[in-house]
């Protein structure tokens, strides 16, 4: 199931779809089917330009990020669990230097700050390898390098290094942490990823307090191409991936609701 989800996931990304259509359309331009090629290339290019000036991806991400507003943690926090994801694992581990990728650092800095604020809290990092190859390069190993560098005592942390996706994050970290009834556990992950994460943790039997970080949008988005072409497509890719994940998790019974809420 994991292998199939990774393969199908490539086709749910907006940038991958656009690139594939552009390649197909360009190829057809050099054949007798040039008219069909123009019929493919023209709307794809139009959609890309529209996506830059009309923040479809930003709106979709903003909806996810606003689902669980930031809250002040309770005075007593018994544990903190942070989810891995999008670390540049092979580079960080092979060079033994910090290389968190473009989505990993925000979660870890928040995790480090909370660890200092709650010195008696249990700490769990959940993240194995989410790739089909180089499975020895896990998020846990890469995260330990950064956390150690910013002064976190990694001996406090329980590293769960077998999970390959959000659902396995929830199952494996629950089994590792063994939270007791009535305990207050904070869940730290990117704000756009929080709805699916909370849904998975609830389905795994773990009630957590959402602590969203790593926001990608401002409270108010505008028209007018104020963001770069690359950022516009990146937001669209993130949005398509996360919304597709919500649909898949709900269909597979891995979340307690299609769009979990506080």
């Amino acid at each position: 199931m994991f292998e199939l989800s990774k393969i199908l996931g490539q086709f749910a990304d907006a940038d991958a779809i656009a690139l594939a259509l552009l390649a197909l359309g360009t190829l057809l331009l050099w054949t007798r089917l040039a008219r069909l090629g123009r019929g493919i290339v023209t709307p794809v290019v139009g959609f890309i330009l529209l996506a830059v000036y009309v923040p479809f991806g930003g709106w979709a991400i903003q909806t996810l990020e606003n689902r669980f507003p930031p809250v002040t943690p309770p005075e007593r926090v018994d544990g903190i669990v942070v989810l891995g994801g999008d670390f540049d694992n092979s580079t960080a581990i092979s060079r033994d230097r910090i290389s968190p990728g473009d989505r990993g650092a925000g979660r870890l800095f928040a995790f480090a700050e909370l660890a200092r604020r709650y010195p008696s809290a249990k700490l769990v990092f959940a993240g194995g390898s989410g790739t089909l190859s180089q499975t020895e390069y896990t998020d846990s190993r890469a995260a330990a390098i950064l956390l150690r560098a910013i002064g976190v005592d990694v001996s406090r942390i329980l590293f769960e290094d077998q999970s390959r996706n959000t659902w396995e994050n929830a199952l494996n970290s629950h089994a590792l942490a063994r939270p007791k009834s009535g305990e207050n556990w904070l869940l730290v992950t990117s704000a756009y990823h929080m709805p699916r994460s909370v849904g998975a943790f609830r389905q795994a039997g773990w009630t957590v307090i959402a602590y969203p970080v790593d926001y990608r949008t401002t409270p108010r988005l505008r028209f007018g191409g104020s963001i770069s072409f690359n950022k516009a497509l990146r937001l669209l890719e993130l949005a398509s991936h996360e919304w597709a994940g919500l649909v898949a998790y709900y269909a597979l019974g891995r979340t307690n609701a299609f769009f979990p809420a506080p």
Side-chain angles (χ1 to χ4, degrees):
M1 180 63 71
F2 169 74
E3 291 78 7
L4 180 61
S5 69
K6 285 296 177 182
I7 295 172
L8 294 178
Q10 298 298 318
F11 296 97
D13 292 340
D15 53 354
I17 295 172
L19 181 61
L21 289 175
L22 284 176
L24 174 62
T26 302
L27 180 63
L28 292 176
L29 290 176
W30 296 92
T31 70
R32 295 178 180 179
L33 299 175
R35 185 175 181 180
L36 177 59
R38 290 193 297 272
I40 295 174
V41 170
T42 302
V44 171
V45 172
F47 173 76
I48 292 173
L49 292 175
L50 188 64
V52 173
Y53 287 91
V54 182
F56 296 117
W59 286 332
I61 288 291
Q62 187 183 64
T63 300
L64 292 165
E65 291 185 332
N66 291 345
R67 191 62 165 176
F68 285 85
V71 297
T72 301
E75 184 176 342
R76 190 194 87 244
V77 170
D78 300 288
I80 305 161
V81 55
V82 61
L83 305 188
D86 201 46
F87 291 93
D88 190 355
N89 297 341
S90 59
T91 302
I93 295 167
S94 62
R95 293 188 178 274
D96 194 27
R97 288 294 184 271
I98 298 171
S99 186
D102 66 356
R103 281 181 279 174
R107 304 179 189 186
L108 292 186
F109 285 126
F111 186 51
E113 191 274 330
L114 290 169
R116 286 189 287 269
R117 189 189 307 179
Y118 301 102
S120 61
K122 301 175 186 176
L123 305 178
V124 176
F125 180 93
S129 173
T131 64
L132 295 176
S133 60
Q134 296 183 320
T135 55
E136 71 276 15
Y137 295 131
T138 64
D139 286 351
S140 289
R141 291 177 64 190
I145 296 172
L146 189 150
L147 290 168
R148 191 178 295 111
I150 59 178
V152 178
D153 179 6
V154 295
S155 66
R156 288 182 58 194
I157 304 172
L158 295 173
F159 285 97
E160 186 286 300
D161 60 1
Q162 298 301 307
S163 57
R164 301 169 296 177
N165 52 39
T166 304
W167 174 240
E168 292 182 2
N169 285 160
L171 291 178
N172 296 348
S173 58
H174 183 273
L176 182 65
R178 297 181 180 180
K180 298 181 177 64
S181 177
E183 287 187 338
N184 293 325
W185 278 81
L186 301 182
L187 174 62
V188 180
T189 191
S190 299
Y192 67 85
H193 186 231
M194 189 60 76
R196 183 157 58 104
S197 301
V198 169
F201 272 70
R202 288 173 178 169
Q203 197 73 341
W206 195 349
T207 301
V208 291
I209 301 168
Y211 193 89
V213 297
D214 185 34
Y215 284 85
R216 297 308 173 99
T217 65
T218 58
R220 186 175 182 180
L221 297 178
R222 300 180 300 171
F223 287 88
S226 59
I227 59 176
S228 69
F229 175 78
N230 181 64
K231 184 177 180 180
L233 291 187
R234 183 58 171 159
L235 286 175
L236 194 60
E237 183 272 329
L238 278 176
S240 62
H241 175 83
E242 199 57 39
W243 281 104
L246 280 168
V247 172
Y249 270 40
Y250 186 64
L252 292 171
R254 292 180 175 181
T255 179
N256 68 323
F258 168 67
F259 194 27

